[in-house]
Amino acid sequence: MEIPEMTPANVVVALACVMVARPILAGLKQTVVFFASLTGRQQSRIEKYNDMHSDETTGLDGRNEDYTTLVDSYYDLATDFYEWGWGSSFHFATRFSFEDFRQSILRHEYYLAGKLKVSPESHILDCGCGIGGPARNIHRFTGAKVTAVTLNQAQVNRGNALCRKEGVAGGVQLVQADFMKLPFPDNHFDGVFAIESTCHAPDRIGVYKEILRVLKPGGTFACYEWCLTDEYDAQDAAHRKIKKDIEVGDGLPDIVHTSVCTAALKKVGFEVSEARDVALDEGLHIEDGAPWYKPLTPSWNPFDWPRFQFNPVMFRLMPVILGFFELIRVVPKGTTNTQVMLQAGGIGCAGGGLTGCFTPMWLMVGTKKDKGRK
């Protein structure tokens, strides 16, 4: 067999093929792992979950009363999809001009961690941790020991497995717990952070009060909250639909205005030093970058994931593809309805970002009063 001549053009073509093949193979491997992770137990909860978000059958009072079932069911359904399509850090971030997606996620976490003013000798709490992506990253960034809580046991199992895999099990531990009833003594942690998680609470005062209780005097709580902004108009049908799509697609009992969260933080006793919408930050590096909701807007580029699934063709095709996989039992029954629910939530978030009526990054920083400090 004749060996092709080694020319600059051939070298360029070969390198291009390798560059294209690597992400495709990585994506296929990740997709196979994702399909293998789906279980009938998880996906069978979609009908119950949808019933809970029906205002006719359950309503807001019912969702608030049974928030643990709502949130636990949601993350049984969503966690595998999130990790497959987004990574191990389940949150948004504005992308600066010099960053890729992964770098923007890390910088967003590090910025919040910097507000805690902790050291490697500190012990901090991640209040609503998912599978522990931010907890592991912030542990590596600060050196502090991190205890992380989530309501969902499957997330605890997955997160602790990733801690062992990444070699940080000695510094990060996930625990199954309800952040409305934290299983820790008073004045226990040097700092507490929450990234887009306390929005799942049925009552902001209740969850902030628990955080204040377990925080040491002089310690800091810093969080990013999901909130409605001043741009939200309850009389606008489009805004109401955006709000409902986000609630249904993201396991929320209700979304409240930024002022409600800030007032609740002050009411329980925090000294609030900062309360602002990070999504509104300005600067050339931001204007030349991408807003937080960009990954949820449509794209025709098949390598631009998850944006590719939101273009008109893929939006209609994905349920058909998953429906076929359900039919031949590659994935369990209910997978299609779960994907449709999550996709609607993504579109709601994108709509909230485009209209400015919703933000996932209302930054609040509060300190627990130290009564012994003059």
Side-chain angles (χ1 to χ4, degrees):
M1 182 177 69
E2 185 178 351
I3 299 175
E5 183 180 356
M6 182 70 78
T7 66
N10 286 342
V11 171
V12 170
V13 170
L15 288 174
C17 289
V18 170
M19 290 177 66
V20 170
R22 287 182 67 182
I24 291 176
L25 291 173
L28 286 173
K29 180 181 178 181
Q30 191 173 354
T31 300
V32 170
V33 172
F34 164 64
F35 280 163
S37 71
L38 297 176
T39 68
R41 179 189 67 83
Q42 294 169 327
Q43 306 313 316
S44 65
R45 302 186 76 168
I46 184 64
E47 291 184 8
K48 170 65 174 174
Y49 176 80
N50 285 337
D51 284 343
M52 292 192 72
H53 257 295
S54 169
D55 290 332
E56 287 77 23
T57 59
T58 304
L60 176 58
D61 290 341
R63 289 191 292 275
N64 281 334
E65 184 177 342
D66 200 14
Y67 71 93
T68 55
T69 300
L70 176 73
V71 176
D72 190 45
S73 297
Y74 175 76
Y75 279 111
D76 256 351
L77 294 165
T79 296
D80 292 327
F81 283 87
Y82 276 8
E83 188 176 2
W84 172 56
W86 204 262
S88 61
S89 292
F90 300 167
H91 63 81
F92 294 106
T94 301
R95 182 168 58 82
F96 292 175
S97 57
F98 50 83
E99 295 175 325
D100 60 22
F101 176 78
R102 172 65 176 166
Q103 289 168 335
S104 71
I105 290 290
L106 286 171
R107 188 254 314 146
H108 196 62
E109 294 170 359
Y110 296 165
Y111 181 74
L112 191 71
K115 302 289 183 180
L116 300 178
K117 302 182 179 68
V118 295
S119 70
E121 290 72 40
S122 301
H123 184 191
I124 60 179
L125 174 68
D126 179 353
C127 200
C129 64
I131 57 173
R136 288 186 292 276
N137 295 333
I138 288 175
H139 163 68
R140 283 185 283 254
F141 178 65
T142 65
K145 178 183 177 182
V146 183
T147 295
V149 298
T150 172
L151 194 62
N152 185 267
Q153 185 61 48
Q155 289 189 332
V156 171
N157 298 343
R158 176 60 177 159
N160 282 330
L162 289 172
C163 289
R164 292 189 292 272
K165 180 180 178 181
E166 296 177 20
V168 295
V172 182
Q173 181 184 19
L174 277 70
V175 178
Q176 193 278 330
D178 178 359
F179 54 33
M180 299 293 288
K181 305 169 187 175
L182 289 168
F184 308 111
D186 297 353
N187 308 319
H188 189 65
F189 295 101
D190 298 292
V192 180
F193 68 92
I195 300 180
E196 303 182 19
S197 59
T198 47
C199 51
H200 290 292
D203 172 28
R204 293 304 195 288
I205 288 178
V207 67
Y208 297 157
K209 191 173 182 179
E210 268 295 273
I211 289 170
L212 183 75
R213 180 183 66 78
V214 301
L215 186 63
K216 291 180 181 179
T220 298
F221 168 53
C223 70
Y224 295 122
E225 270 280 10
W226 281 32
C227 297
L228 300 174
T229 71
D230 290 341
E231 298 299 316
Y232 180 76
D233 180 2
Q235 305 305 312
D236 188 321
H239 284 196
R240 292 198 304 272
K241 185 177 187 307
I242 286 170
K243 178 177 182 288
K244 186 62 177 178
D245 283 348
I246 295 172
E247 290 167 353
V248 175
D250 294 281
L252 309 182
D254 190 27
I255 310 175
V256 299
H257 189 268
T258 55
S259 60
V260 174
C261 293
T262 306
L265 200 64
K266 292 177 179 178
K267 186 171 184 177
V268 303
F270 277 102
E271 293 181 331
V272 178
S273 58
E274 198 168 357
R276 64 185 183 85
D277 189 355
V278 175
L280 300 181
D281 284 357
E282 297 179 342
L284 188 61
H285 59 297
I286 296 175
E287 293 165 6
D288 291 342
W292 64 266
Y293 54 84
K294 185 69 176 288
L296 303 176
T297 58
S299 171
W300 293 101
N301 181 355
F303 298 105
D304 192 355
W305 194 264
R307 295 184 63 205
F308 183 63
Q309 68 167 308
F310 291 105
N311 72 57
V313 173
M314 287 303 296
F315 182 77
R316 291 168 176 78
L317 196 58
M318 280 294 288
V320 176
I321 294 172
L322 288 175
F324 173 71
F325 285 153
E326 280 189 28
L327 187 65
I328 62 174
R329 298 184 180 181
V330 172
V331 298
K333 185 179 180 181
T335 301
T336 303
N337 289 339
T338 301
Q339 190 271 340
V340 169
M341 176 266 291
L342 294 173
Q343 201 172 47
I347 291 172
C349 286
L354 288 165
T355 61
C357 71
F358 164 78
T359 179
M361 49 188 72
W362 180 251
L363 170 68
M364 298 192 298
V365 181
T367 302
K368 183 173 181 176
K369 297 176 183 177
D370 187 348
K371 296 179 180 178
R373 186 182 62 192
K374 301 296 185 182

